Amino acid sequence: MTVVERLCAPTRDVLLARGSSGPRDHDIVSARLASQLAARLTDSLGADRRRHRLDAFAAELGPARFDAPFAWSARAARRPIGSSVAHDVAEGAMPDALSAAASEIERLCDRAQRGLTRRGALGGWLADAPRAARALCAVEASTWAERLLRLVEPTHDGSIAVGIADAWFDVPGTTITLQGRLDAALRPAAGAHLGLLRVRDGLPGARAADGLVVDALVAALAGRCPTRMVGAWPDAGLCLVVDFDDDAARRAARLLLACADALAAPSAAPSPLEAMAA
Amino acid sequence: MTPATPAATDLLGALRGTPALRPHVDRGLAGGLRAWLEDGLFERLGARAAAPIVRVTPRLLLDDPPVTGAATARLRGALLVQLLRLRVAGLEPASPFEDAVAALGASGRDAELVALLCDLDSDDRSRLAAEVAAHHTVLATSLPSLPARWSPRCGVRYAIPLAGGAVVLRGDVDLALGASGGSRACVCLVDLTTSTLGSASDATLAYLALLETLRTGEQPLRVAALSTADGATVVREVTSELLADAVELVLEAVARSAAA
């Protein structure tokens, strides 16, 4: 598994061409690999009835140990809202990102007020938040969306889809869910190979390519198998492109298994929450 | 360009300028600047792949010692940045301090500052509220409203790795306007400060213009600084000379940091 290309401030056409090329002559993620992965994950964590979510962050950094429970904030809300915003603006449904963000927040609040959201959902938090917090969320989300839109510059020819759903795969018979983070799909023409793109903050780390193949594997398991996976770090103006081939799929599976094993193994050092409880 | 008073300056008008007179984007400029930086860093650092990472920030660029004991100044700055964001969202704060505090608390960032704010006694809190209200008045005068079609972005961050990651150019811009990708430069960057503008402003603006050029591959149109202390503004056209100055500043700062 190798990084095919490292692109500095690529234009839309370069991103589209590099992100969706690459050979593909058979199904990369065979049914055998998928079933072996599921069996090994079940061996590692099948007896554990807590819910586990494995993703590219866990593959790159090890199973995350958070010192505080998740809470919504403008920072946490910017991608879910920003994704819808990017989609609406790209589709021409809204004139600009800021208006689209305000409209999406209003829609989420409305759903929450009508009791259509589950407990802890973003809409509930927004509905209860002060006016200033909602306005801040709109700005954060529109800034996030603008970043994605400037990167891929979607047109109406359907070659680039933004604001797509993440890939999710529930391992049968366990409480393990795999998540592949996806922000755009690149397909220059009907029938052409599919490239997938995801955006992250900051700089690509030393194991950035590992995270990319994990996202690609989960996308493949969820039925959207890419030929290439593109990681974009707009803060750095960098994109990494990796081929998703047999080797990459096997490496991604091994990384997920290593995460599961690490979660299953008793930790030497307790997390801050565990330490507080003790 | 010298700082101007708010009465004499329409900041948004100065940033917008005459669209027909905007310069064309020089597609080769970013690559040239990057190559110049890489060569200069190699000359100064050599092949130090295992060297600790040098993080270049505007403060390092100016050889400015870290400010200590300025917690309330940092709080004031953070609250003004939140007020700028609220104004971008089209919210006219009825109570600037309370709205800024609510926004800071909901931001999910600056937990340390939020804790500091909670620890303020009532006197300090009232003093801070008065300061924030005064600064907000200046902000509202200088940036009355921002059309959504200008694609305003807030808190744009930069982290440009160079020399194989041994040097990272970091910075952030409070407000970016205009969309990149056209044939003419049209992105404007605005740096907001609650202190008065000094000689350091030019260097900071040049540095931010360099970061934007390296990040997007297109030079911005203009960079500006706005002081909410007195309403003074500095607006600079982004030229190849300005970017060359920024490259020299970065190389000098890295050499200083490596020698220290």
Side-chain angles (χ1 to χ4, degrees):
Chain A
M1 190 275 299
T2 51
V3 172
V4 177
E5 269 179 304
R6 183 176 183 271
L7 306 169
C8 288
T11 61
R12 171 194 189 275
D13 292 341
V14 169
L15 201 60
L16 191 58
R18 303 290 201 278
S20 55
S21 55
R24 166 62 57 81
D25 49 8
H26 63 284
D27 196 4
I28 294 299
V29 181
S30 62
R32 186 158 167 263
L33 176 64
S35 64
Q36 279 180 339
L37 175 64
R40 288 283 309 277
L41 286 172
T42 307
D43 287 347
S44 291
L45 287 171
D48 188 342
R49 299 320 295 171
R50 290 175 298 173
R51 290 216 68 83
H52 291 289
R53 191 176 69 187
L54 301 181
D55 58 12
F57 280 108
E60 286 176 55
L61 308 169
R65 304 179 68 88
F66 299 105
D67 57 2
F70 175 80
W72 284 110
S73 64
R75 186 183 190 180
R78 69 192 167 138
R79 184 171 175 264
I81 302 171
S83 228
S84 297
V85 168
H87 181 265
D88 287 352
V89 173
E91 293 291 310
M94 295 300 289
D96 56 73
L98 209 48
S99 311
S103 167
E104 176 64 9
I105 288 171
E106 201 175 309
R107 188 186 70 80
L108 290 168
C109 290
D110 179 58
R111 280 180 57 81
Q113 279 156 359
R114 287 192 287 137
L116 299 175
T117 53
R118 61 185 165 74
R119 194 168 147 267
L122 173 58
W125 178 73
L126 286 169
D128 293 340
R131 199 173 59 125
R134 286 200 295 274
L136 184 68
C137 286
V139 172
E140 290 262 4
S142 67
T143 298
W144 189 93
E146 286 280 1
R147 198 167 66 154
L148 176 62
L149 292 167
R150 294 282 80 78
L151 180 73
V152 298
E153 297 174 40
T155 51
H156 293 292
D157 61 5
S159 56
I160 296 180
V162 294
I164 60 173
D166 284 346
W168 297 90
F169 182 75
D170 282 338
V171 180
T174 69
T175 52
I176 306 165
T177 300
L178 309 181
Q179 182 188 7
R181 184 172 165 147
L182 306 174
D183 292 308
L186 318 170
R187 197 190 290 273
H193 292 152
L194 173 70
L196 294 171
L197 177 143
R198 69 121 149 91
V199 175
R200 278 230 192 131
D201 286 342
L203 287 164
R207 301 189 63 192
D210 285 347
L212 287 173
V213 292
V214 167
D215 281 330
L217 174 64
V218 180
L221 291 170
R224 283 183 282 174
C225 189
T227 48
R228 283 189 170 175
M229 187 77 203
V230 183
W233 284 263
D235 295 356
L238 282 178
C239 288
L240 296 185
V241 185
V242 296
D243 260 338
F244 187 59
D245 51 17
D246 287 324
D247 286 347
R250 280 196 293 272
R251 176 160 181 78
R254 279 196 295 270
L255 287 162
L256 287 170
L257 289 172
C259 276
D261 290 343
L263 276 170
S267 170
S271 73
L273 271 186
E274 287 163 348
M276 278 169 65
Chain B
M1 196 171 287
T2 51
T5 60
T9 306
D10 168 12
L11 177 59
L12 291 181
L15 287 173
R16 188 169 184 271
T18 307
L21 298 179
R22 290 175 185 170
H24 286 278
V25 171
D26 181 350
R27 301 280 171 197
L29 188 56
L33 292 169
R34 188 179 286 273
W36 183 5
L37 279 164
E38 294 283 7
D39 289 349
L41 291 172
F42 185 80
E43 281 172 19
R44 284 156 181 83
L45 300 177
R48 293 164 58 176
I53 293 173
V54 180
R55 287 189 173 82
V56 180
T57 59
R59 193 168 288 285
L60 179 73
L61 208 66
L62 304 167
D63 200 15
D64 207 1
V67 178
T68 53
T72 51
R74 283 178 58 213
L75 259 178
R76 189 182 62 206
L79 293 172
L80 255 293
V81 166
Q82 300 304 328
L83 286 171
L84 171 67
R85 292 176 182 188
L86 298 185
R87 295 194 68 78
V88 167
L91 183 80
E92 185 63 49
S95 167
F97 181 71
E98 297 307 327
D99 285 341
V101 168
L104 186 67
S107 67
R109 297 187 173 95
D110 299 320
E112 179 202 347
L113 288 180
V114 174
L116 193 65
L117 193 61
C118 294
D119 290 345
L120 288 181
D121 62 32
S122 58
D123 275 357
D124 286 342
R125 198 176 168 90
S126 301
R127 196 175 303 127
L128 183 62
E131 280 183 27
V132 167
H135 282 267
H136 178 252
T137 304
V138 177
L139 177 67
T141 308
S142 304
L143 288 173
S145 66
L146 287 162
R149 67 176 184 281
W150 287 17
S151 306
R153 282 96 66 205
C154 292
V156 179
R157 288 160 194 260
Y158 303 91
I160 312 289
L162 295 168
V167 174
V168 181
L169 309 187
R170 287 191 179 272
D172 57 79
V173 160
D174 296 313
L175 176 64
L177 300 166
S180 56
S183 61
R184 290 179 186 271
C186 60
V187 172
C188 297
L189 310 176
V190 180
D191 186 40
L192 187 72
T193 176
T194 57
S195 54
T196 52
L197 300 180
S199 56
S201 302
D202 277 350
T204 303
L205 293 181
Y207 178 66
L208 293 175
L210 175 66
L211 294 187
E212 174 72 12
T213 307
L214 294 174
R215 188 176 74 96
T216 62
E218 296 179 16
Q219 79 273 24
L221 173 63
R222 295 184 179 97
V223 282
L226 165 64
S227 164
T228 54
D230 54 8
T233 58
V234 176
V235 180
R236 298 286 308 265
E237 304 281 335
V238 178
T239 59
S240 51
E241 290 77 22
L242 183 91
L243 295 169
D245 289 348
V247 170
E248 292 292 357
L249 281 168
V250 168
L251 294 176
E252 284 168 21
V254 171
R256 265 199 317 272
S257 177

